[in-house]
Amino acid sequence: MAFESRALDFDDPALLEVRTYALPELPWEKVAGRLEPVAIRLLRFDARLESSGLAAGWQARCDMTEAVRALILDGQLVDVGDLVLHDAGMDVRHPTHELTRAAAALRARRTALARPAPWPLSIDGLAALRGLGPARGEGEATRPTGKPDPDDDEAYPPYANDADPWRAHFAEIDALLDRTNKVLAGETPLPKRRSDLVYDPDVDEAENEDLWLDVVQRTAHWPALAAAAVAWDAWLDLNLYTRLPWLGLIMAAAILRARGLTSHLLPLAAGFKQSRFRPQGREGALEKVEGFCTVVEEAVAIANKDLDRLILARELMQRVTKECRSNSKLPGLVELFLSRPLVTVPLGAKLLQVTPKAVDLMLVQLGGALPRELTGRSRYRAWGIV
């Protein structure tokens, strides 16, 4: 792990030393020629996606497939059909540990897109992507709906039912001051869920977060691809969030989105799986940047192929929807096919709020434009654009 020490400019230079991550020295004469064609491909794909009118559906499909591929890179296999049903609240079996992790990866990608681009690259953004903070507002507190139970003493602050109302206010102030004093004194205990059997007590995640965010800030004037490559390498080097290995690629895609190369999150996990680049820690700075460019190129190629399939499927199904009546649910079923990797009859019935028999009739109505059947079984049938 490469670090350097930088003294703060106070009256006493040895008063405090801050650890900083050493940025690599890139040979820009060689790197520039590699970055430009990749950036052009990114811009062309983003413009094509926006003009196609399928950006929302493509992103929804990409998020689900990326969550599955991210777990595959971690050595865990998750069926995309189980993830689609779990996301709709229609699990056919008890969710497994792998499925829960895939759902967390899916939620993280959606959270990264829920706010403006620079927000994921902040302390609040990292906390929200990990599921520890609010996703849509910084510091938002969730208020319970309805009135609390009068018989539940824990639902009210201390002394809330006392005859003197000021005692409750003073109790809240005293509790706030007590928490503040513990934080300032460094006596705040770790959360109970952080077991030493799972987490390394010698690793300071808060300090590693600051180091990584400092890398993002110091590379803000670099080309977007080079900044994302260095940030991803720093993420792996700092070993941030060992239980969330898929988050590093999401943050790299968020950097590309924040820098304006794309307005969506690229399927970098699919590109990394398809590419031959595997960081071992022995590569030089140039090899790491070129490897990341290879990952981005593969991701753009996969995204273009998926967009081609969606455009062709939409054209075929729209030939049927043009002839249906104005109050038909068939266009809604077409949107389901364009926004999900697969669709089942119960899933379509729930999301379209119709009966399963109506979904069967709409599938028959699509005829030759119906997407491919994926299961090949009579009891559990699913269709998807592949």
Side-chain angles (χ1 to χ4, degrees), residues 21-76:
Y21 190 89
L23 297 180
E25 296 183 0
L26 296 176
W28 293 108
E29 296 81 3
K30 299 180 180 179
V31 172
R34 186 72 175 93
L35 298 179
E36 185 177 6
V38 181
I40 293 175
R41 291 185 183 181
L42 274 176
L43 294 173
R44 287 179 176 175
F45 167 74
D46 191 66
R48 182 184 178 218
L49 181 60
E50 289 293 338
S51 62
S52 66
L54 292 169
W58 176 88
Q59 187 66 72
R61 285 170 52 92
C62 178
D63 290 341
M64 292 185 178
T65 55
E66 272 292 282
V68 173
R69 289 162 178 159
L71 267 294
I72 292 177
L73 293 178
D74 196 28
Q76 298 178 352

Side-chain angles (χ1 to χ4, degrees), residues 40-365:
I40 293 175
R41 291 185 183 181
L42 274 176
L43 294 173
R44 287 179 176 175
F45 167 74
D46 191 66
R48 182 184 178 218
L49 181 60
E50 289 293 338
S51 62
S52 66
L54 292 169
W58 176 88
Q59 187 66 72
R61 285 170 52 92
C62 178
D63 290 341
M64 292 185 178
T65 55
E66 272 292 282
V68 173
R69 289 162 178 159
L71 267 294
I72 292 177
L73 293 178
D74 196 28
Q76 298 178 352
L77 182 61
V78 179
D79 184 26
V80 66
D82 293 338
L83 180 60
V84 172
L85 296 178
H86 178 76
D87 182 60
M90 301 178 60
D91 297 283
V92 294
R93 61 181 68 90
H94 186 72
T96 61
H97 175 67
E98 293 78 9
L99 181 59
T100 304
R101 296 190 66 190
L106 175 61
R107 183 171 57 251
R109 290 185 62 87
R110 291 175 174 173
T111 301
L113 285 166
R115 293 289 301 274
W119 176 76
L121 308 176
S122 63
I123 290 292
D124 295 329
L126 287 175
L129 294 180
R130 297 168 61 196
L132 303 179
R136 295 187 177 274
E138 300 179 11
E140 289 181 355
T142 57
R143 299 183 180 180
T145 58
K147 296 182 179 180
D149 187 5
D151 299 331
D152 188 6
D153 294 334
E154 296 181 358
Y156 292 87
Y159 307 106
N161 298 323
D162 197 87
D164 185 7
W166 288 104
R167 297 189 64 182
H169 295 291
F170 289 144
E172 293 180 2
I173 295 175
D174 291 337
L176 177 61
L177 292 176
D178 185 46
R179 292 195 302 268
T180 304
N181 291 333
K182 288 182 179 180
V183 171
L184 295 177
E187 299 175 357
T188 304
L190 292 175
K192 294 182 180 180
R193 61 178 178 272
R194 293 185 61 85
S195 172
D196 292 344
L197 297 176
V198 179
Y199 296 92
D200 188 358
D202 297 331
V203 176
D204 190 354
E205 285 191 352
E207 184 180 7
N208 290 339
E209 287 177 355
D210 294 336
L211 289 172
W212 187 80
L213 292 174
D214 182 60
V215 169
V216 175
Q217 184 177 4
R218 290 159 59 193
T219 57
H221 62 282
W222 286 21
L225 284 168
V230 172
W232 182 43
D233 179 64
W235 186 283
L236 298 177
D237 197 8
L238 293 171
N239 199 18
L240 271 172
Y241 314 138
T242 56
R243 296 178 61 83
L244 305 174
W246 37 263
L247 191 54
L249 289 172
I250 294 179
M251 299 308 297
I255 292 175
L256 296 177
R257 176 172 173 254
R259 299 294 295 275
L261 280 185
T262 176
S263 56
H264 307 86
L265 287 183
L266 292 174
L268 293 184
F272 181 73
K273 181 176 180 295
Q274 188 69 22
S275 68
R276 298 182 179 180
F277 175 68
R278 295 295 181 269
Q280 302 293 333
R282 302 186 298 268
E283 301 86 0
L286 179 60
E287 288 77 10
K288 292 178 180 178
V289 173
E290 289 181 346
F292 182 77
C293 289
T294 303
V295 172
V296 174
E297 286 178 337
E298 294 291 346
V300 173
I302 294 173
N304 273 308
K305 292 179 181 179
D306 193 25
L307 184 58
D308 291 337
R309 289 190 289 266
L310 292 181
I311 292 175
L312 179 59
R314 182 184 61 178
E315 291 179 356
L316 292 176
M317 290 186 287
Q318 280 183 347
R319 296 178 182 178
V320 181
T321 57
K322 289 180 180 179
E323 302 176 357
C324 63
R325 60 184 184 274
S326 59
N327 61 344
S328 175
K329 293 286 187 177
L330 187 58
L333 181 62
V334 172
E335 292 298 326
L336 288 183
F337 280 120
L338 296 177
S339 62
R340 282 164 178 78
L342 58 86
V343 176
T344 63
V345 172
L347 178 65
K350 178 181 179 180
L351 298 182
L352 296 178
Q353 297 181 355
V354 295
T355 61
K357 182 62 177 179
V359 177
D360 287 331
L361 293 176
M362 287 187 287
L363 293 175
V364 174
Q365 187 177 357

